[in-house]
Amino acid sequence: MNHKNVLLYAVLSFFLLISCNSTGTNSQAENTADTSAIEQPKVEKNKRILFFGNSLTAGYGLDSKDLAFPNLIQQKIDSLNLPYTCVNAGLSGETTAGGLDRIDWILKDPVDVFVLELGANDGLRGISTETTTKNLKAIVEKVRKAYPDCKMVLAGMMVPPSMGEKYFNDFSAIFPKVAKEENMTLVPFLLDRVAGITALNQSDAVHPTKEGQVILAENVWKHLQGIL
């Protein structure tokens, strides 16, 4: 092989080598891109949604607290990969007065979104609407003082018509009034599409079944999702 042929062979070998390496690099880059497109980063849940309520929040009568609407909302949040953890601070039998006494202890941990679900037990006991209003506003003020940037949600409630027309109307008006004055997102009626429907309530005709809790979660989520 003469000198010219040796030189030509060397040049061809050089370009062939570059071509092979370039192909391998591109393939590796494509594989990396494909992998990054498939794998979604896990979002760290560093924000807290506090559900502060009574037996409706606590999931009274259900086989597991996981069936209560705050926990069902957590499932929706997880499916959307949002950075929030739901905390169920429901306590069966809680009144607004009891909630006002309890809130300081609950606020020891940070709160980014506060969902207030209290008042139903006040209504069933015939507590004055002025007292219920005062207690709800005092709870909100405590939360705002502790966490000024916290977003607020208020779950509306009604009492049975048997409580009398005046009390029924006055009680129902509490929640829109407090929500407006305190700049809160209002869930107009937590038990919408559940109250009075036998199949969606337990034998006491007050507490939702697991199917009823699914609808409660939908009622809240419809208003909550926009502020997350």
Side-chain angles (χ1 to χ4, degrees):
M1 183 180 295
N2 59 35
H3 177 72
K4 183 182 291 187
N5 289 337
V6 170
L7 180 60
L8 179 60
Y9 178 78
V11 171
L12 289 175
S13 298
F14 176 73
F15 280 107
L16 181 61
L17 180 61
I18 290 177
S19 176
C20 291
N21 287 340
S22 175
T23 302
T25 303
N26 289 339
S27 297
Q28 184 177 3
E30 290 173 2
N31 290 336
T32 302
D34 291 343
T35 301
S36 63
I38 295 172
E39 295 178 358
Q40 295 183 357
K42 187 176 181 180
V43 176
E44 183 180 354
K45 291 178 170 53
N46 56 359
K47 297 183 180 181
R48 298 172 78 249
I49 305 174
L50 179 65
F51 290 86
F52 189 69
N54 52 43
S55 56
L56 297 175
T57 294
Y60 175 86
L62 301 176
D63 293 335
S64 169
K65 200 170 185 177
D66 291 341
L67 299 174
F69 76 85
N71 304 74
L72 300 179
I73 288 175
Q74 180 70 71
Q75 294 176 18
K76 294 178 182 291
I77 287 173
D78 291 344
S79 70
L80 295 172
N81 207 26
L82 297 174
Y84 292 90
T85 296
C86 294
V87 178
N88 189 332
L91 180 64
S92 295
E94 189 80 295
T95 60
T96 57
L100 183 56
D101 289 338
R102 186 166 64 105
I103 190 62
D104 288 327
W105 180 79
I106 295 293
L107 293 177
K108 290 180 180 180
D109 294 319
V111 181
D112 297 283
V113 181
F114 183 72
V115 182
L116 179 56
E117 181 276 303
L118 283 177
N121 288 317
D122 291 41
L124 293 175
R125 297 180 187 189
I127 294 173
S128 73
T129 55
E130 291 81 5
T131 298
T132 298
T133 299
K134 181 180 177 180
N135 290 338
L136 288 173
K137 290 172 73 71
I139 291 171
V140 171
E141 288 169 7
K142 281 180 175 285
V143 177
R144 280 230 170 91
K145 183 178 180 180
Y147 304 104
D149 295 328
C150 180
K151 297 177 182 178
M152 301 284 199
V153 179
L154 180 63
M157 188 52 59
M158 298 180 184
V159 293
S162 59
M163 299 297 294
E165 183 178 357
K166 184 179 187 308
Y167 189 75
F168 177 89
N169 292 332
D170 290 349
F171 185 87
S172 300
I174 291 173
F175 303 92
K177 178 183 178 182
V178 172
K180 182 177 180 180
E181 293 178 354
E182 298 295 334
N183 192 26
M184 304 175 74
T185 297
L186 177 67
V187 179
F189 182 36
L190 177 64
L191 294 174
D192 184 36
R193 299 179 294 142
V194 174
I197 301 176
T198 303
L200 296 176
N201 288 277
Q202 300 175 39
S203 58
D204 61 9
V206 173
H207 295 96
T209 60
K210 64 179 182 179
E211 292 82 9
Q213 286 280 349
V214 171
I215 297 176
L216 263 61
E218 293 172 355
N219 292 342
V220 175
W221 180 248
K222 181 165 44 176
H223 302 277
L224 177 62
Q225 62 178 330
I227 67 175
L228 297 186

